Each structure stands twice: as structure tokens, then as C-alpha cells.
Amino acid sequence: DLRMSRGLGDVYKRQVVQCKMYSQPVGNKAVQEVHAAKSYYDATFSVVVSNQDYTPSARMLATKLGVYLINDSEIRNFSELF
């Protein structure tokens, strides 16, 4: 897990990132965990990064909770995504 704060002028964005290296699609648990961490750390946004795809229910839950789901191949573009 990762917590980051990034300054943009006078504005700081706190981010929480949940990283999963799985052999099968990532489910709801990862989305729930990172969403809870977002609230706990008073973060601006939360992200789950995985080497695998996400289950349909995890995608639906992430959409409802405002959690970003990205693939590990998108890490290089992480700062551009947010």
C-alpha cells in the first residue's frame, strides 16, 4: 500500500494506492480496502493497481465509490492519469 501527497502550487492531493499482484482477476475486497483507506487518510482519491484484470462486480463497485482501477502497464502514465 502507498500513501502519497503531491503539491500542485498551494494545493496538495493525498492519494492512496492499493497494489495487487494476483494470478486471477481482482475482486471487491481490494476496492473496499482502498476506499476505506481513502476515508481514513482523508485522501483526495484512491487507486487499485494490478497485473490482472478486475471482476465485473469490482468494476461496478469502483465506479460507485469513485475508486480508479488501473493495470500495472499504466504505471508509467500514473501522474498523467490524475
Side-chain angles (χ1 to χ4, degrees):
D1 298 347
L2 175 67
R3 291 177 296 144
M4 302 182 308
S5 292
R6 182 172 151 192
L8 300 171
D10 292 335
V11 178
Y12 281 86
K13 292 186 176 185
R14 181 170 291 153
Q15 309 147 20
V16 290
V17 181
Q18 177 84 269
C19 300
K20 298 294 186 184
M21 187 170 190
Y22 283 1
S23 58
Q24 54 192 351
V26 177
N28 288 351
K29 186 173 185 249
V31 176
Q32 293 166 340
E33 289 171 348
V34 79
H35 181 67
K38 178 184 175 191
S39 296
Y40 182 81
Y41 291 110
D42 195 28
T44 306
F45 63 88
S46 53
V47 183
V48 179
V49 181
S50 178
N51 62 319
Q52 293 293 322
D53 198 5
Y54 298 91
T55 64
S57 62
R59 288 185 181 280
M60 287 175 45
L61 182 60
T63 298
K64 184 167 182 82
L65 297 178
V67 172
Y68 294 92
L69 302 178
I70 65 173
N71 188 274
D72 62 349
S73 65
E74 297 173 286
I75 288 291
R76 289 182 179 222
N77 302 324
F78 185 75
S79 63
E80 296 170 13
L81 294 172
F82 309 101

